Amino acid sequence: MSQPIYDRIALIGLGLIASSMFWAIKRSGLAGEVTGYARSPETRNKAREIGLCDRICDSAVEAVEGADLVVLCVPVGAMGPVMQDIASALKPGATVSDVGSVKRNVIEAVLPHIPKGVHFVPAHPLAGTEHSGPESGFAELYDNRWCLLVPVEGSDPEAVARLRALWEGIGANVDEMEADHHDLVLAVTSHTPHLIAYTMVGVADDLRRVTDSEVIKYSAAGFRDFTRIAASDPTMWRDVFLSNKEATLEILGRFTEELFALQRAIRTGDGEHLHDYFTHTRAIRRGIIEAGQDTDAPDFGRGQSAAKTIGTEK
Amino acid sequence: MSQPIYDRIALIGLGLIASSMFWAIKRSGLAGEVTGYARSPETRNKAREIGLCDRICDSAVEAVEGADLVVLCVPVGAMGPVMQDIASALKPGATVSDVGSVKRNVIEAVLPHIPKGVHFVPAHPLAGTEHSGPESGFAELYDNRWCLLVPVEGSDPEAVARLRALWEGIGANVDEMEADHHDLVLAVTSHTPHLIAYTMVGVADDLRRVTDSEVIKYSAAGFRDFTRIAASDPTMWRDVFLSNKEATLEILGRFTEELFALQRAIRTGDGEHLHDYFTHTRAIRRGIIEAGQDTDAPDFGRGQSAAKTIGTEK
């Protein structure tokens, strides 16, 4: 058990990210008390039922009262309104942070409502699964994943250092990044891949000549990796695309340009172009394995558990 | 141990697919003897070194002599020439099969060279990993995966049934499908997803403002699932796209159409369109889990092994 880093932490929004934060904070004793609030009564009840947070409050204002750290864990589009709600209830000297996948837009929505004497340190933990909701969290989600801190102009260095200590205590590696650069990097590593995955899954579903059951039965050939990405929370992703519009559209433009070049190579039978392209992309995979951001086990090492799941079908 | 289904099986080409077949055949004693041949001497030596196949031959002709089943496990573009090579050495009554990811094109390349009295039963096991080469195989690769048989006009029902028994013995579920339909289904579930993944990885690599190291470090946000697909064997995939040109281009056309619609929704801020689309795609993921073709464990259950891999980095 570490020394508590904050006496009281309030988590606003209780989905995958917040619930995983809670279990990781508990694991290492990083806070004296963790309060929680979610807009829906069902979520609050579920949270109480499974012991999520030390205390679930029926209003955001109640949850943030006396908190040294308030973390906004709501979809990006809800950050501004939530912040407006809690502004007057914040303890002087407290830090407000968030976990949004987009930073420029969140900063613009949240910063104007931050009271004098309260610190705002935006953050973005790069971790997730295809599951959502208060029951989907687990303490290991952030272990060895990256959390990006995006301090705004005038962010108090001490408040930044304390938040860094929290995320390191949770298990993450921490980096700092400028907001616009963050949004471009994430457009490449996350937002555009998600949009593409959603699109491919939509295409598959839409094809009447290829029945649903065929698409599902034969998904192991590559398609199922797209479906995992495309099973992520719809509200969260709608907000991400609407609020990181510019960078996403830019990367999408690059993507279709490249795709058309490969499409043309297929049409004209230019095997050399295809082979060169495919050889080049292999090296990137190698880099990710070496950086410890994925497993080298074949098929993500899921063969075993998948086989178990379907033991009755054979 | 089952009863051997074939006295002698010859595997031509010794990559992931053939080597996994060998280990699965051994696991269940499905053949008296398995011979193997690969074009490159390095591959043949490696195979001998790791005990892959009962006997490695220095020519394809030698490997197929006396074989009751010959399985062509070479890239789709090499199937025709290899078949031409071995045609005169085939045992009367033998069955020739293949494992190519495209069927119409392979049938057109191979069938004209099949001697009278020899059966041709095309097949396609839907399984793979991002690894390739003789050392990448493992006996469990096909467990509960699908193998599609694509009998041609006049395929001997007994030869088909025997090949089915082999694949079931190897651990796969077996279905039969017509060649053109197979090529369309696979364009949706495999070929187009692969092309898209290759493209996205290429785009990421090409962006000078987002350094390689950032793309790799922050890949866990979605991108890394694309890199796994895009690490597959370049020669195999070049041949797949060149030989399933028509269906791939058709699905690609559908894909870009849908992508442009989503892109437009982002540009115009149509959140409802995005939310509806993303909600719909979730159901497909559910279907794949229920069909036993993937694990429901968060993040494919790879959290544990990935954490182990990088234990030293923290």
Side-chain angles (χ1 to χ4, degrees), chain A residues 7-11 22 25-26 31-36 53-55:
Chain A
D7 282 339
R8 189 182 295 172
I9 296 177
L11 302 173
F22 172 74
I25 287 168
K26 277 288 124 174
E33 190 194 20
V34 180
T35 61
C53 294
D54 299 312
R55 185 159 52 90

Side-chain angles (χ1 to χ4, degrees), chain B residues 41-311:
Chain B
E42 289 74 34
T43 304
R44 297 199 296 271
N45 286 338
K46 177 54 75 183
R48 286 182 183 118
E49 199 186 305
I50 63 174
L52 184 65
C53 295
D54 299 311
R55 187 159 50 91
I56 294 294
C57 305
D58 285 321
S59 80
V61 165
E62 193 191 330
V64 306
E65 264 166 1
D68 306 288
L69 173 69
V70 174
V71 188
L72 308 178
C73 306
V74 297
V76 164
M79 297 275 183
V82 166
M83 183 58 215
Q84 219 168 339
D85 245 29
I86 58 171
S88 61
L90 292 168
K91 178 175 157 179
T95 293
V96 172
S97 186
D98 76 302
V99 296
S101 310
V102 175
K103 296 271 68 93
R104 174 60 61 206
N105 197 285
V106 167
I107 291 169
E108 279 169 11
V110 169
L111 194 54
H113 305 295
I114 296 281
K116 231 184 134 91
V118 169
H119 309 293
F120 180 40
V121 186
H124 179 205
L126 307 189
T129 75
E130 64 275 34
H131 300 293
S132 46
E135 296 169 287
S136 59
F138 53 100
E140 298 78 22
L141 178 64
Y142 304 109
D143 286 349
N144 198 52
R145 298 280 83 92
W146 287 92
C147 180
L148 300 176
L149 302 187
V150 184
V152 294
E153 217 181 279
S155 277
D156 176 35
E158 227 169 286
V160 175
R162 206 166 160 201
L163 187 65
R164 174 189 276 267
L166 179 75
W167 276 106
E168 289 175 347
I170 282 174
N173 306 313
V174 177
D175 255 359
E176 289 188 24
M177 204 180 263
E178 187 274 328
D180 291 323
H181 188 67
H182 167 278
D183 289 356
L184 181 67
V185 170
L186 268 290
V188 176
T189 57
S190 177
H191 305 168
T192 308
H194 271 82
L195 193 74
I196 289 165
Y198 276 122
T199 307
M200 189 62 226
V201 174
V203 167
D205 187 47
D206 219 40
L207 271 173
R208 289 292 163 254
R209 276 182 300 157
V210 176
T211 68
D212 277 6
S213 108
E214 279 176 337
V215 166
I216 286 170
K217 266 165 86 175
Y218 310 134
S219 65
F223 180 66
R224 67 173 172 183
D225 289 354
F226 282 65
T227 65
R228 188 189 78 88
I229 302 184
S232 307
D233 184 57
T235 305
M236 173 194 155
W237 282 100
R238 176 199 62 196
D239 284 5
V240 164
F241 295 121
L242 295 181
S243 47
N244 198 19
K245 185 185 291 203
E246 216 173 298
T248 305
L249 291 178
E250 181 186 335
I251 303 304
L252 266 180
R254 293 289 319 246
F255 172 82
T256 45
E257 193 180 291
E258 292 280 321
L259 186 64
F260 287 159
L262 287 174
Q263 186 172 321
R264 189 169 178 280
I266 293 174
R267 199 183 295 281
T268 62
D270 185 349
E272 207 181 317
H273 179 94
L274 296 173
H275 193 272
D276 287 352
Y277 202 96
F278 301 163
T279 303
H280 188 60
T281 52
R282 269 198 145 172
I284 299 176
R285 175 71 189 166
R286 188 50 34 208
I288 287 173
I289 304 292
E290 279 161 14
Q293 291 302 304
D294 208 348
T295 166
D296 191 32
D299 203 22
F300 303 139
R302 72 180 149 196
Q304 294 312 315
S305 50
K308 263 181 235 152
T309 313
I310 43 61

